[in-house]
Amino acid sequence: MGFTEAVRTVLKQKYATFSGRASRSEYWWFMLFCVLALFPLAILAIVLAYATSGGGAPSPAHYTVVIWLLFTIAVFLPSISLQIRRFHDRNISGWWYLALFILSFIPYAAFVTFPVTIVISLLPGTEGPNKFGPDPLRPEAQAEVFA
C-alpha cells in the first residue's frame, strides 16, 4: 500500500472503523502524512508568533494554530481506529490500546506505554487470518472467527 492509498483508506473508507486489521504500511504511511501536515504548521505558527507581536487583533500565528487544531481534531478518531486495527493485525485486542492510553496519564508511565505502542506498531502482523479478520496483505484467505 502506498502513501496516497493509505491516506485515502484511513480518511475515507475506514474513518471510524474499529474492526478489521491494518497493515504496517497503511499505519506508517498515515503517520507520515500526519507528521508532514502538522510539523510545518507548528513551525509556521512559531515563526509567525515571533514575527508578529503586539496589537489586539489576532495575528497570523493564531490562524495557523487554529488550522493545526482543526487538523488534529479531524484526524483524532481515524488515528485511534487505525491504531486499534494495527493492534488487531498483531492479534491483540483494541482494549489493550485503551489500557495503554489510560495508563499513559499516570506520571512517568508514558515512558513505558509509548514505547510499547510503538513496538507493537513496528512488529509484523500475524500471517493469515486471525480472530479480527483476514490478513490485509493477503485478503483472499478467510478468517476463522468462530474456530
Side-chain angles (χ1 to χ4, degrees):
M1 177 176 291
F3 180 79
T4 55
E5 184 183 358
V7 173
R8 189 179 316 114
T9 300
V10 172
L11 292 179
K12 287 188 177 183
Q13 297 171 357
K14 298 181 179 180
Y15 188 85
T17 304
F18 295 91
S19 61
R21 296 166 63 176
S23 65
R24 281 189 293 179
S25 60
E26 178 182 354
Y27 178 82
W28 288 110
W29 281 123
F30 185 73
M31 290 299 122
L32 178 64
F33 165 73
C34 290
V35 168
L36 290 176
L38 290 174
F39 188 71
L41 283 173
I43 297 297
L44 182 64
I46 291 168
V47 168
L48 288 175
Y50 282 113
T52 59
S53 60
S59 70
H62 291 103
Y63 298 119
T64 307
V65 170
V66 168
I67 293 169
W68 187 84
L69 287 171
L70 289 174
F71 181 81
T72 303
I73 291 168
V75 298
F76 180 72
L77 188 60
S79 297
I80 290 175
S81 69
L82 177 63
Q83 184 67 60
I84 289 174
R85 287 186 282 115
R86 185 72 201 121
F87 269 55
H88 287 175
D89 194 37
R90 289 285 309 144
N91 208 17
I92 301 171
S93 173
W95 292 107
W96 282 104
Y97 178 63
L98 177 64
L100 290 171
F101 182 76
I102 291 171
L103 286 174
S104 69
F105 288 103
I106 298 172
Y108 303 110
F111 292 119
V112 175
T113 60
F114 183 71
V116 166
T117 305
I118 294 296
V119 167
I120 289 172
S121 300
L122 283 171
L123 293 172
T126 56
E127 289 188 24
N130 66 16
K131 65 182 179 179
F132 298 104
D135 189 345
L137 301 177
R138 290 172 282 296
E140 63 277 352
Q142 294 295 320
E144 296 180 23
V145 177
F146 298 107

